[in-house]
C-alpha cells in the first residue's frame, strides 16, 4: 500500500517509509488513500489478538518490505491481554475493554511495542543491505511528546535497543507522580525532558523538530506519537478483537465509548469500523479540553491552549489526529454522522470514580472514568446495544486521585511497581525548538 499525506495527496510513502519518518515532509499525517475493506467472515477461526491483527493489517503491509515479517511483528508486540470484561451490575449489556495489562499499565503499550518491532526490522534490513546515509546517522532518534502514558510506553519498548535513542518531552507538573516516575526512570538510551509548558507545547516542539533541516542533518528523526501510523495501526486490532467476540456471541454490533485527547485511539476505532469490523456507535469522551466537542457542536475548528484536569493524559487543546478524521470524513456535517463527543468535568470524574467503585465494583483511572460517566449519559439512547467502556490506564497510576475517592488502596501491578522503585533522571527544558536542538546536537 502507498500512503498519502493528509495535506497533499501527491506526498506519498510506503508503509516502512511512513513509519520511519513519523510525519510527512509537508507536516501532514500519513493515511491510506482508500480504506481497505474486510468483513467478520474474514476472521473466522481467529481469536488471539496477534492473529486477528495480522489478518486486519495485511492490506497495509502488502508490497512492503515488512510484509513477510507481519505475523512475527504481531506475535512479538501484541502478546498483551486485552480482555473484554462484563460489568455484571450495570443495567443492560455493558463491558469494559481493559487495555492496561501491558508493561507500563496503559493502552499505549500496544502501539509502542508494535512500532519498536517494526523499526527494529527496518533497521536490521537497512544495515544488511548497506543502509543509507553516513555511519554517524545510523541511529534513529525517536521524539516523543507525552501527556503521561505515551512516553513511558515508548521508553519501555525502545529501552536498551542499540540502534535507537529516545527523547521524551512531558509537561512538568502536569502528569501524575507515578506517571512522571515512569517517564524518568530509564536512563541509557532514553532521555527525559521536563518541559516548562503544556502537552501542546511539547507536541509543537516535536513537530517543529521533525521538520527542522538543521537537526535532520545530524540526527535521523522519527516520532513515536500517534501521529506515526505505526502507532495507530495496531490499536485497531483490539477494537477488532473485542467487536468480533461480542458479535459472534450476541449477533449485534457493540458501541464503544473511547476516552480521547489527541484522537489517536479514537481514529483507530473509527478506522476499524470503516474497514468493516462489527462496530456500532463510536462515542468520544473528553475532559474540560473541549476542542473536539466544540467543533462537532459549532462547526468551526478552534485549537486552544490546553487546561489541566484530573484526566491529564487527555489535556490536549490541539488534537493532531483530527487531520486524519477530516481526511476520512471531509466537512463537519459528514463527521457528525460518524462520531459524537461529550465533555466531562473533574467533578463528574470524581463522582464517577466513587460511585462506580461502590455500585459496580469497578475502580477507574480518571480517563476511564470519563468514559464511564458518558456511558451513564448515553446508554438510554441505545438501550438494546452492548456498550463497551474503553479503560485506557490502570487506576494505580493515579493513586493520589483515585484512592481517596474509593476509600482504599489500589493494588499496584508488578511491572509498574518495579518501575516505581528505579532511580529518576530528567532535564528541564524550555518549550522551544532551539532549546531541544541544542540538547540533541550536544550529544551528537
Amino acid at each position: 500500500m502507498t500512503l498519502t499525506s493528509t495535506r497533499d495527496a501527491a506526498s506519498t510513502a510506503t508503509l516502512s517509509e511512513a513509519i520511519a519518518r513519523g510525519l510527512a515532509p509537508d507536516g501532514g499525517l500519513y493515511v491510506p488513500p482508500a480504506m481497505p475493506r474486510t468483513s467478520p467472515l474474514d476472521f473466522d477461526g481467529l481469536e488471539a489478538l496477534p492473529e486477528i491483527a495480522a489478518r486486519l493489517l495485511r492490506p497495509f503491509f502488502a508490497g512492503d518490505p515488512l510484509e513477510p515479517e507481519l505475523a512475527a511483528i504481531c506475535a512479538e508486540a501484541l502478546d498483551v491481554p486485552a480482555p473484554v470484561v462484563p460489568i455484571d451490575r450495570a443495567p443492560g449489556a455493558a463491558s469494559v475493554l481493559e487495555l492496561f495489562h501491558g508493561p507500563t499499565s496503559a493502552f499505549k503499550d500496544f502501539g509502542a511495542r508494535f512500532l519498536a518491532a517494526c523499526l527494529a526490522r527496518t533497521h536490521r534490513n537497512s544495515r544488511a543491505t548497506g543502509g543509507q546515509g553516513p555511519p554517524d546517522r545510523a541511529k534513529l532518534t525517536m521524539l516523543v511528546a507525552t501527556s503521561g502514558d505515551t512516553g513511558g510506553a515508548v521508553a519501555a519498548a525502545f529501552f536498551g535497543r542499540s540502534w535507537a535513542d529516545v527523547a521524551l518531552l512531558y509537561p512538568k507538573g502536569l502528569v501524575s507522580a507515578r506517571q512522571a516516575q515512569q517517564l524518568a526512570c530509564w536512563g541509557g538510551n532514553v532521555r527525559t525532558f521536563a518541559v516548562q509548558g503544556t502537552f501542546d507545547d511539547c507536541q509543537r516542539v516535536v513537530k517543529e523538530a521533525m521538520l527542522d533541516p538543521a537537526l535532520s542533518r545530524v540526527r535521523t528523526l522519527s516520532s513515536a506519537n500517534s501521529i506515526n501510523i505505526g502507532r495507530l495501526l495496531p490499536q485497531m486490532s483490539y477494537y477488532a478483537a473485542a467487536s468480533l467476540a461480542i458479535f459472534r456471541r450476541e449477533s449485534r454490533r457493540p458501541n464503544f465509548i473511547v476516552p480521547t485527547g489527541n484522537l489517536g485511539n479514537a481514529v483507530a476505532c473509527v478506522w476499524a469500523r470503516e474497514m468493516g469490523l462489527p462496530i456500532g456507535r463510536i462515542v468520544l469522551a473528553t475532559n474540560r479540553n473541549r476542542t473536539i466537542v466544540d467543533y462537532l457542536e459549532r462547526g468551526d475548528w478552534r485549537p486552544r491552549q490546553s487546561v489541566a484536569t484530573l484526566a491529564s493524559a487527555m489535556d490536549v487543546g490541539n488534537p493532531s489526529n483530527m487531520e486524519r478524521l477530516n481526511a476520512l470524513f471531509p466537512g463537519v456535517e459528514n463527521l457528525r454522522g460518524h462520531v459524537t463527543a461529550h465533555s466531562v468535568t473533574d467533578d463528574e470524574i470524581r463522582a464517577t470514580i466513587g460511585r462506580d467503585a461502590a455500585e459496580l465494583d469497578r475502580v477507574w483511572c480518571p480517563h476511564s472514568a470519563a468514559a464511564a460517566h458518558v456511558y451513564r449519559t448515553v446508554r438510554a439512547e441505545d438501550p438494546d446495544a452492548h456498550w463497551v467502556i474503553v479503560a485506557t490506564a490502570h487506576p494505580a497510576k493515579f493513586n493520589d486521585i483515585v484512592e481517596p475517592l474509593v476509600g482504599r488502596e489500589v493494588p499496584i501491578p508488578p511491572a509498574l511497581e518495579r518501575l516505581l522503585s528505579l532511580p529518576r533522571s530528567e532535564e528541564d527544558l524550555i518549550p522551544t525548538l532551539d532549546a531541544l536542538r541544542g540538547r540533541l546536537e550536544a550529544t551528537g
Side-chain angles (χ1 to χ4, degrees), residues 25 37 45 56 83 88 92 97 139 197 227 248 265 280 294 302 307 322 325 327-328 335 362 369 374 377 411 420:
R37 297 293 298 175
L56 179 70
D88 295 329
L97 175 56
K139 270 194 175 185
I227 58 176
R248 288 164 177 169
N265 204 17
D294 289 345
R302 292 186 179 181
V307 297
M322 184 56 75
L325 283 183
L328 186 60
L335 181 58
R362 291 291 315 192
V374 171
T377 302
L420 297 179

Side-chain angles (χ1 to χ4, degrees), residues 25-362:
D26 61 4
L29 310 187
Y30 285 112
V31 295
M35 195 61 64
R37 297 293 298 175
T38 186
S39 81
L41 295 177
D42 294 327
F43 298 87
D44 279 356
L46 304 180
E47 295 186 0
L49 183 63
E51 295 175 332
I52 290 173
R55 174 62 187 86
L56 179 70
L57 301 182
R58 186 189 302 167
F60 295 90
F61 281 73
D64 191 84
L66 286 174
E67 182 179 11
E69 308 265 17
L70 176 58
I73 290 169
C74 293
E76 173 188 329
L78 302 179
D79 186 21
V80 176
V84 180
V85 181
I87 309 177
D88 295 329
R89 300 184 188 180
S95 298
V96 182
L97 175 56
E98 294 184 348
L99 300 179
F100 49 70
H101 296 288
T104 69
S105 303
F107 79 98
K108 304 294 179 72
D109 286 320
F110 293 91
R113 287 161 59 90
F114 189 91
L115 180 61
C118 288
L119 288 173
R121 287 162 173 80
T122 299
H123 176 81
R124 182 193 65 201
N125 295 342
S126 175
R127 294 299 101 191
T129 57
Q132 298 291 328
D136 63 344
R137 295 189 59 204
K139 270 194 175 185
L140 187 65
T141 298
M142 303 301 300
L143 299 179
V144 188
T146 180
S147 54
D149 290 328
T150 296
V154 172
F158 284 84
F159 179 69
R161 295 183 184 263
S162 61
W163 50 268
D165 289 326
V166 179
L168 306 179
L169 284 71
Y170 83 91
K172 185 174 183 178
L174 297 180
V175 303
S176 78
R178 286 181 175 174
Q179 282 180 311
Q181 169 64 20
Q182 273 191 309
L183 295 171
C185 68
W186 300 95
N189 65 323
V190 179
R191 293 178 71 185
T192 303
F193 296 98
V195 176
Q196 300 166 28
T198 67
F199 168 77
D200 295 301
D201 294 318
C202 299
Q203 183 168 249
R204 171 182 51 77
V205 171
V206 164
K207 287 184 175 181
E208 290 173 353
M210 294 287 297
L211 301 175
D212 180 47
L215 194 51
S216 64
R217 283 194 291 270
V218 296
R219 290 270 181 170
T220 301
L221 302 173
S222 186
S223 172
N225 283 93
S226 60
I227 58 176
N228 192 317
I229 196 169
R231 268 273 316 279
L232 193 149
L233 290 177
Q235 292 176 233
M236 289 195 295
S237 63
Y238 46 72
Y239 290 113
S243 64
L244 285 167
I246 294 171
F247 184 73
R248 288 164 177 169
R249 186 173 64 247
E250 303 177 7
S251 298
R252 55 179 168 175
R253 299 170 179 266
N255 298 337
F256 285 83
I257 304 175
V258 185
T260 193
N262 209 29
L263 280 172
N265 204 17
V267 170
C269 189
V270 170
W271 279 15
R273 185 178 63 184
E274 290 300 301
M275 287 188 68
L277 273 300
I279 295 171
R281 292 179 56 189
I282 298 173
V283 182
L284 310 182
T286 72
N287 55 25
R288 289 190 301 115
N289 291 278
R290 293 180 49 91
T291 306
I292 300 164
V293 175
D294 289 345
Y295 177 52
L296 291 173
E297 289 181 354
R298 302 173 186 173
D300 54 339
W301 181 244
R302 292 186 179 181
R304 73 288 305 261
Q305 192 77 1
S306 61
V307 297
T309 74
L310 294 180
S312 56
M314 302 194 303
D315 290 349
V316 182
N318 187 11
S320 292
N321 281 287
M322 184 56 75
E323 284 201 37
R324 287 190 167 116
L325 283 183
N326 284 331
L328 186 60
F329 307 121
V332 68
E333 289 292 341
N334 191 10
L335 181 58
R336 286 173 181 149
H338 293 87
V339 298
T340 58
H342 295 258
S343 175
V344 183
T345 67
D346 281 357
D347 286 343
E348 289 168 334
I349 288 172
R350 292 188 186 95
T352 301
I353 292 172
R355 181 179 56 232
D356 285 3
E359 296 181 5
L360 303 181
D361 197 29
R362 291 291 315 192

